């Protein structure tokens, strides 16, 4: 007998919502597998009645809940943990450095399985109020449930999730309380800064202190060693390229890869083929600036900008990395990370995605002047240290990329 599978779109709108559709699936379920990034008491209030009824009728359940960013409520974890002592329910908590981010609600019944997979977390917003989108799959064969159960088992075997215990929940609750207090404090300070319209270095100074924790063994010192080692060899690499007229494509590419390996802007390797195709122009461009580190940021930028005009892939990040190599006390690296960092100090005159068409020599001079002011205010020695700080702020692991 052929099994059928149907799929429907599940939204939170005037006709239905995740709470109603998912809640109804508990009625005939004999097994429930759930994995969510965030769970709160507001979600528990929406789902506790159908969940408890199904468990009292003998349904088996496994729930895996993410603890990233401290969005999950400790009170919710305690409620589920208490329930696990009375029914066939196992509660698991995320236990990985990678973010635990699924939103899966899977139900097995006598006529196959029904699975909701999408964006809705176990929160009132996710289940009822937010603009969410999921697919609800009705699979008579039960194959989808088998895959989800297998994935759940793999997460357990790999210790990506671990069985909840009272000490684990208590430890998380302590961290949650501290994080919540700091978050309230940070919101108040951020609100005052926005409302006042005044530039503040508080955020950058705070991140700098975080980087410098540990003194000699700090992340800041580790980064500086790598960057200064790279900065020590990059000028020689530049001169090698400037003298490489007539090189084969393979020979040039090797030298170019060595050069950008000493830089810290992301994505430079993506354009290496296009730059290799224009290698003679690139060699002339480097040669035009290599002995002119005494120029002002405005004039040095203008010189290299003109030479890069017809070289696709040679953008502002590469241009300013080259200038920075020539003099890291006068030429600041300009890329998306750095512009975003400078905005935290109140300087927002620069395009978030700087390009050869949007950054003029005068604009780059202003950028270097303002970056220098930030350097001096933070007590940094040069633009190498400032760029390391900007990268740390931009890529810091606690920077949220998702919200409930």
């Amino acid at each position: 007998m052929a099994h059928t599978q149907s799929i429907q779109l599940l939204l939170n709108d005037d006709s239905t919502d995740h709470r109603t559709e998912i809640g109804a699936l508990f009625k005939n379920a004999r097994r429930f597998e759930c994995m969510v990034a965030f769970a709160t008491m507001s979600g528990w209030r929406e789902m506790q009645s159908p969940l408890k009824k199904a468990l009292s009728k003998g349904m088996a359940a496994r729930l895996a809940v993410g603890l990233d960013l401290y969005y999950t409520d400790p009170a919710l974890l305690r409620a589920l943990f208490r329930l696990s002592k009375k029914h066939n329910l196992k509660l698991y908590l995320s236990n990985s450095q990678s973010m635990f981010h699924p939103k899966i609600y899977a139900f097995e019944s006598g006529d196959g399985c029904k699975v909701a997979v999408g964006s809705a977390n176990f929160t009132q917003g996710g289940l009822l109020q937010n603009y969410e989108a999921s697919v609800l799959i009705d699979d008579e064969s039960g194959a989808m449930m088998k895959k989800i159960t297998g994935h759940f088992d793999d997460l357990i075997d790999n210790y990506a999730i671990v069985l909840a215990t009272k000490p684990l929940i208590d430890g998380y609750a302590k961290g949650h309380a501290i994080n919540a207090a700091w978050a309230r404090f940070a919101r108040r300070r951020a609100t005052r800064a926005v409302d006042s319209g005044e530039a503040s270095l508080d955020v950058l100074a705070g991140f700098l202190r975080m980087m410098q924790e540990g003194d000699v063994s700090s992340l800041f010192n580790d980064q500086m060693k790598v960057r200064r080692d790279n900065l020590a060899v990059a000028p020689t690499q530049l001169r090698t390229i400037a003298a490489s007229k007539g090189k084969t494509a393979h020979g040039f590419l090797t030298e170019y890869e060595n050069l950008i390996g000493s830089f810290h802007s992301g994505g430079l390797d993506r354009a290496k083929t296009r730059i290799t195709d224009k290698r003679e122009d690139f060699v002339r461009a480097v040669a035009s600036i290599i002995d002119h580190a005494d120029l002002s940021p405005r004039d040095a930028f203008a010189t290299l900008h003109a030479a890069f005009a017809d070289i696709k892939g040679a953008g502002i990040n590469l241009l300013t990395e080259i200038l920075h190599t020539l003099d890291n006390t006068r030429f600041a690296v300009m890329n998306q990370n750095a512009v975003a960092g400078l905005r935290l100090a109140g300087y927002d005159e620069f395009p978030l995605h700087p390009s050869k068409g949007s950054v003029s020599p005068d604009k780059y001079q202003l950028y270097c002047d303002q970056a220098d002011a930030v350097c001096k205010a933070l007590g940094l020695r040069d633009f190498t240290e400032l760029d390391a700080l900007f990268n740390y702020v931009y890529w810091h692991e606690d920077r949220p990329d998702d919200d409930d």
Side-chain angles (χ1 to χ4, degrees):
M1 180 179 177
H3 295 289
T4 62
Q5 185 182 86
S6 63
I7 301 175
Q8 69 181 75
L9 183 64
L10 178 55
L11 305 169
N12 293 337
D13 57 25
D14 293 337
S15 61
T16 188
D17 51 60
H18 285 72
R19 176 193 62 179
T20 301
E21 297 293 338
I22 294 173
L25 299 179
F26 282 104
K27 186 175 181 180
N28 298 315
R30 63 189 184 197
R31 187 155 58 99
F32 175 49
E33 302 270 63
C34 179
M35 290 171 264
V36 290
F38 313 131
T40 63
M41 285 302 290
S42 66
W44 173 243
R45 286 189 290 270
E46 301 297 338
M47 282 295 178
Q48 65 171 316
S49 178
L51 175 58
K52 285 182 175 180
K53 285 181 182 178
L55 290 170
S56 67
K57 293 179 181 179
M59 182 188 75
R62 294 193 299 184
L63 280 78
V65 180
L67 304 183
D68 299 286
L69 306 178
Y70 290 106
Y71 285 170
T72 290
D73 283 350
L76 174 278
L77 297 179
R78 292 193 171 108
L80 290 173
F81 187 67
R82 288 192 299 270
L83 201 60
S84 72
K85 300 300 181 182
K86 301 176 183 178
H87 298 285
N88 188 5
L89 165 67
K90 292 183 178 179
L91 174 64
Y92 292 85
L93 307 178
S94 64
N95 183 49
S96 171
Q97 291 188 350
S98 298
M99 179 174 278
F100 188 74
H101 210 243
K103 292 93 175 176
I104 301 174
Y105 304 82
F107 299 82
E108 182 182 72
S109 58
D111 57 352
C113 69
K114 294 181 174 64
V115 180
V117 182
S119 64
N121 276 302
F122 195 89
T123 65
Q124 186 180 61
L127 296 169
L128 189 63
Q129 296 174 340
N130 294 348
Y131 290 101
E132 307 282 1
S134 302
V135 290
L136 182 58
I137 304 165
D138 187 346
D139 180 14
E140 289 185 357
S141 72
M144 182 68 69
M145 190 70 175
K146 186 175 180 180
K147 289 182 180 180
I148 290 169
T149 297
H151 178 57
F152 208 123
D153 292 340
D154 287 343
L155 291 172
I156 296 170
D157 292 342
N158 294 327
Y159 298 98
I161 57 176
V162 295
L163 198 62
T165 63
K166 187 177 184 300
L168 278 178
I169 295 174
D170 288 346
Y172 172 75
K174 180 179 179 181
H176 183 277
I178 294 171
N179 183 79
W182 275 106
R184 289 194 297 271
F185 177 71
R187 282 195 296 270
R188 286 197 296 270
R189 295 191 72 170
T191 298
R192 286 200 300 271
V194 172
D195 290 346
S196 69
E198 296 177 359
S200 171
L201 292 174
D202 287 352
V203 173
L204 290 175
F207 273 103
L208 180 59
R209 286 193 295 271
M210 289 170 63
M211 281 192 79
Q212 293 173 332
E213 289 174 356
D215 297 326
V216 175
S217 62
S218 70
L219 178 61
F220 183 80
N221 285 338
D222 288 345
Q223 280 286 308
M224 285 308 101
K225 183 180 186 312
V226 172
R227 285 172 176 263
R228 295 199 188 285
D229 285 349
N230 287 340
L231 202 59
V233 300
T236 299
Q237 293 167 334
L238 270 179
R239 290 192 176 277
T240 299
I241 286 180
S244 65
K245 184 177 181 181
K247 280 275 188 179
T248 65
H250 177 74
F252 173 85
L253 181 59
T254 299
E255 292 173 353
Y256 180 74
E257 287 177 333
N258 289 336
L259 175 65
I260 62 174
S262 299
F263 294 162
H264 294 268
S265 291
L268 293 178
D269 61 326
R270 290 197 293 267
K272 62 185 180 183
T273 300
R274 285 181 290 174
I275 288 176
T276 299
D277 291 341
K278 301 282 286 187
R279 57 189 178 277
E280 292 183 4
D281 290 342
F282 187 82
V283 168
R284 284 195 293 270
V286 173
S288 72
I289 195 65
I290 195 74
D291 291 318
H292 298 288
D294 57 335
L295 292 174
S296 67
R298 176 188 294 104
D299 293 341
F301 181 93
T303 298
L304 201 50
H305 187 274
F308 274 7
D310 296 324
I311 306 176
K312 290 185 178 180
I316 295 300
N317 52 354
L318 179 59
L319 190 162
T320 57
E321 284 276 12
I322 291 173
L323 293 180
H324 179 262
T325 295
L326 298 179
D327 189 343
N328 70 331
T329 66
R330 298 173 57 246
F331 304 128
V333 174
M334 189 178 199
N335 54 33
Q336 180 177 339
N337 301 3
V339 170
L342 204 57
R343 286 186 175 193
L344 292 177
Y347 300 114
D348 58 0
E349 300 97 325
F350 312 103
L352 189 55
H353 301 279
S355 68
K356 286 185 288 190
S358 63
V359 181
S360 66
D362 285 341
K363 185 73 76 173
Y364 181 67
Q365 178 71 56
L366 179 62
Y367 176 83
C368 289
D369 290 344
Q370 293 180 344
D372 185 56
V374 173
C375 263
K376 288 182 170 60
L378 293 175
L380 298 176
R381 292 166 52 189
D382 49 46
F383 289 141
T384 301
E385 293 187 352
L386 183 65
D387 190 60
L389 173 61
F390 285 160
N391 273 6
Y392 178 72
V393 173
Y394 190 86
W395 291 113
H396 189 260
E397 62 184 1
D398 290 337
R399 187 170 63 93
D401 61 3
D402 182 80
D403 203 326
D404 177 46

